[in-house]
Amino acid sequence: MSRMDGRANDQLRPVEIIPGVNKFAEGSCLIRCGNTHVLCTASVEDRPPRHVPEGEGWVTAEYSMLPRANRERSRRDISKLKLSGRSAEIQRLIGRSLRAVVDRKLLGPRQITIDCDVLVADGGTRTAAITGGFVAMMLAFRKMMEAGQLAEYPVSGYVAAVSAGIVDDVPLLDLCYEEDSAAMVDLNCVMDDQGRLIEIQGTGEERPFTLDEQRQLVELCEKGIRRLQTVQRAVLEG
């Protein structure tokens, strides 16, 4: 099939990660995946949650979408006096994804909070938040290393995420909004840089999907994630 933006079926949208966009946060970046733009900041506190074992740290996340990130204005969660179910689910996903590669003992008794604010939404906001959130977290760790607060980076590898889906029975990588809206099957995938899965979220939107179709989608995501991690490395390792 011919995609609306002319991409190949296994091609990512243009990706850009701009580091250091917030001068106050310990780590920050703006990630642009096509027309999806997410601001990610990492804040360090010396107070881990009470449930964390003594001497260990914690990584958590908050996610929100600005009122005009979409085609029509949406109400802020604060105006509804509660966090939307979608926002709550996504920020838990971001936190789980980043904690999967963090050595909490090496981190020590600290909490890293990753704030992901969607400026423009055109599909794949949660996966962009994970990919950008990792960069913001690593920049915060770099600052802690420079200050002598860490002896080594408390991570086992890189983390990135991307979506894939089946549109008109064709598997596609990195769906934009229009493709996502028409998808028969939608899948989000999080991986580390060893190709190991951290999380898969797959849904049959219009029909069930087979194990073979799931494999095809995951393989598409793996290809996209490797490219995303190349972009991450270029930002972090220069």
Side-chain angles (χ1 to χ4, degrees):
M1 64 175 293
S2 176
R3 303 183 75 170
M4 59 182 301
D5 54 9
R7 283 184 290 147
N9 294 350
D10 61 352
Q11 185 177 357
L12 290 173
R13 291 174 289 180
V15 179
E16 182 181 20
I17 300 177
I18 305 169
V21 295
N22 184 313
K23 73 174 184 177
F24 299 114
E26 284 79 6
S28 67
C29 72
L30 174 65
I31 180 168
R32 296 172 175 165
C33 299
N35 290 323
T36 288
H37 301 170
V38 184
L39 174 65
C40 303
T41 60
S43 301
V44 182
E45 299 175 276
D46 293 326
R47 294 173 295 177
R50 293 182 179 179
H51 72 272
V52 175
E54 185 175 354
E56 296 187 10
W58 190 249
V59 177
T60 188
E62 294 189 11
Y63 167 98
S64 66
M65 190 174 292
L66 295 189
R68 280 318 304 265
N70 279 309
R71 286 148 180 79
E72 296 181 359
R73 186 184 187 277
S74 60
R75 292 176 61 194
R76 298 178 191 270
D77 284 337
I78 189 63
S79 72
K80 297 176 283 188
L81 300 181
K82 65 177 182 179
L83 187 65
S84 74
R86 179 180 182 275
S87 295
E89 183 265 324
I90 291 175
Q91 65 187 39
R92 287 194 295 266
L93 169 66
I94 298 166
R96 286 195 305 270
S97 299
L98 299 181
R99 285 195 301 272
V101 297
V102 172
D103 186 320
R104 289 159 49 193
K105 290 183 178 179
L106 286 179
L107 175 59
R110 303 177 179 92
Q111 174 164 288
I112 312 296
T113 301
I114 312 298
D115 286 293
C116 302
D117 293 289
V118 180
L119 308 182
V120 185
D122 188 39
T125 62
R126 71 184 66 197
T127 54
I130 292 168
T131 303
F134 176 81
V135 171
M137 181 178 73
M138 288 294 289
L139 291 171
F141 289 158
R142 176 186 293 174
K143 190 169 185 177
M144 295 168 71
M145 292 274 289
E146 293 170 349
Q149 297 171 318
L150 292 174
E152 58 183 288
Y153 284 99
V155 294
S156 61
Y158 278 57
V159 172
V162 75
S163 70
I166 298 176
V167 181
D168 293 334
D169 292 316
V170 178
L172 303 176
L173 176 65
D174 193 14
L175 305 183
C176 66
Y177 173 80
E178 287 80 5
E179 291 170 335
D180 186 51
S181 299
M184 299 172 170
V185 178
D186 181 40
L187 184 140
N188 297 300
C189 186
V190 188
M191 286 183 175
D192 69 6
D193 56 356
Q194 298 179 52
R196 298 180 298 183
L197 291 164
I198 294 173
E199 185 145 351
I200 298 176
Q201 297 180 331
T203 305
E205 300 284 358
E206 294 187 4
R207 64 165 174 81
F209 57 104
T210 66
L211 289 175
D212 184 59
E213 287 175 325
Q214 177 181 271
R215 178 186 57 78
Q216 292 178 58
L217 293 175
V218 171
E219 288 177 352
L220 276 178
C221 288
E222 180 183 19
K223 181 175 183 178
I225 286 170
R226 290 192 183 282
R227 171 58 185 152
L228 289 169
Q229 289 168 348
T230 298
V231 177
Q232 290 174 323
R233 289 185 188 280
V235 172
L236 294 171
E237 301 175 17

